[in-house]
Amino acid sequence: MRVTIADVAREAGVSKTTVSRVINTKGEVDGSTAARVREVIAQLGYVPSSGAVGLARGSSRTVGMLVPSLTWPWMGEVLQGVVDTVEAADYGLLLFTCNRGAESVERFTSQVSARAFDGLVVVEPENTLDHLTALHRGGLPIVLIDDRGHHPEFPSVVTTNREGGASAARHLLAAGRTRPLVLTGPQQFGCVRDRLDGFRTVLPTDLVVQGDFTERCGRQVVEQLLADGVEFDSVFAHNDISAAGVLRALRAAGRSVPDDIAVVGFDDIPMAEHTEPPLTTVRQPTRQMGEAAARLLLSHLGGTAVPDEAVVLPTELVVRHSAP
């Protein structure tokens, strides 16, 4: 059962008006009383509604952010872009993850019901799009980062995945590589399909293996192909983590990178500069994606109409030693 302002008032031995004044820093409240109220709020886990938090200003001036997990390699950059933007606008940020599946979604939904925030930035956790769409239709402003090809009915910020794949292929082709291996991510993701399609428009190949974006997968796929005698002169991995596994397997097999086999990744996470050799990759503007999504949401909260089409930010090929 959700904790209410009445519960806080009863536990602290004060009126609901006093609790509201403490939350809103409005009116005169004795210092020791205010401290006791804040202590009770923390003990009970009370989440004020937007009405309580914004009694005089009509909003919570807080933005929510929902993500699958903070362990995703590029999530920190996206989050920093959101934080920088909302804090500059004098908004707070509530962060929710879906590490515990349905339990996490239920907890998040309770915060929506409490109107603890005015709008939501989302990196879509798996199997939540229908739920998010229902919340949007119910009046919650939402902006999605990386729509994974789902094209929701609410605003989104995406990157040029197709062009990113094509740029990787053009670079390899210009270097004389004609027998590429493409190691994808899960095919249900629209970004994966776009990266593969873009690559194949420039450099057709049938040597395509579906992966899961992990270092272990990149390593095992290459180990197996080499053991089977499959010939390839380059690898386009759909993220930098799996590309790192590819590099590790090639090194263990005595294959020289890039002399024998060139390797290109995708994302340009900080690790990409520190692989052996440093990784050529397609950079996603992850921090700018967070900034753009937060700006869209704040503009909407300020009364500005949001665009019907997704905001598209460009990818960029970053050339390093793995594929010069």
Side-chain angles (χ1 to χ4, degrees):
M1 182 179 296
R2 183 169 67 87
V3 178
T4 67
I5 193 170
D7 297 326
V8 174
R10 183 169 54 254
E11 184 70 20
V14 299
S15 68
K16 291 191 291 185
T17 300
T18 298
V19 176
S20 181
R21 285 174 176 168
V22 172
I23 292 170
N24 287 284
T25 63
K26 298 283 185 181
E28 301 224 354
V29 179
D30 175 74
S32 61
T33 300
R36 184 167 73 255
V37 169
R38 294 191 186 98
E39 183 178 352
V40 170
I41 287 173
Q43 288 174 347
L44 297 181
Y46 172 60
V47 180
S49 69
S50 60
V53 178
L55 189 61
R57 56 189 184 235
S59 74
S60 69
R61 293 199 68 83
T62 300
V63 167
M65 185 172 182
L66 176 66
V67 302
S69 170
L70 294 178
T71 60
W72 286 22
W74 47 265
M75 192 61 71
E77 284 294 300
V78 172
L79 176 59
Q80 192 62 57
V82 173
V83 168
D84 290 346
T85 304
V86 301
E87 287 187 348
D90 197 27
Y91 271 71
L93 181 71
L94 282 176
L95 179 63
F96 304 91
T97 68
C98 278
N99 290 320
R100 297 184 178 181
E103 179 183 340
S104 297
V105 173
E106 182 179 349
R107 180 174 177 80
F108 162 72
T109 302
S110 72
Q111 305 304 301
V112 177
S113 300
R115 298 185 63 202
F117 47 86
D118 300 328
L120 184 66
V121 175
V122 180
V123 179
E124 181 199 340
E126 192 172 359
N127 300 321
T128 60
L129 186 59
D130 289 345
H131 183 63
L132 294 170
T133 300
L135 290 175
H136 173 70
R137 291 174 180 172
L140 179 67
I142 296 177
V143 178
L144 187 64
I145 297 175
D146 184 8
D147 69 9
R148 303 188 193 173
H150 291 161
H151 309 298
E153 61 187 53
F154 44 84
S156 61
V157 176
V158 300
T159 57
T160 53
N161 284 292
R162 186 180 300 273
E163 171 54 29
S167 67
R170 284 194 295 269
H171 183 70
L172 291 174
L173 189 59
R177 311 289 176 160
T178 58
R179 300 190 308 280
L181 158 66
V182 179
L183 176 58
T184 76
Q187 287 292 326
Q188 68 265 30
F189 292 165
C191 62
V192 168
R193 298 191 296 272
D194 286 347
R195 291 170 195 178
L196 179 58
D197 289 346
F199 188 92
R200 278 176 155 171
T201 59
V202 176
L203 188 51
T205 181
D206 292 326
L207 186 54
V208 177
V209 179
Q210 179 175 325
D212 60 7
F213 286 146
T214 65
E215 189 274 347
R216 179 181 179 183
C217 177
R219 177 166 41 86
Q220 290 181 338
V221 165
V222 169
E223 288 173 349
Q224 187 62 55
L225 290 175
L226 292 178
D228 292 343
V230 178
E231 293 294 329
F232 51 95
D233 61 10
S234 53
V235 181
F236 173 44
H238 276 197
N239 75 336
D240 293 342
I241 294 294
S242 57
V246 169
L247 291 172
R248 182 177 175 185
L250 292 172
R251 185 166 60 250
R255 301 295 182 97
S256 173
V257 177
D259 294 339
D260 297 331
I261 299 175
V263 179
V264 178
F266 206 106
D267 285 337
D268 195 30
I269 62 175
M271 180 202 72
E273 291 186 85
H274 305 292
T275 56
E276 181 55 45
L279 183 64
T280 293
T281 187
V282 179
R283 174 181 294 158
Q284 287 203 95
T286 46
R287 183 172 297 205
Q288 290 85 348
M289 291 168 73
E291 293 170 350
R295 284 197 301 269
L296 267 182
L297 182 60
L298 292 174
S299 294
H300 180 53
L301 296 177
T304 302
V306 295
D308 294 330
E309 300 295 324
V311 173
V312 182
L313 301 181
T315 53
E316 176 189 2
L317 183 72
V318 179
V319 178
R320 299 192 181 98
H321 298 306
S322 71

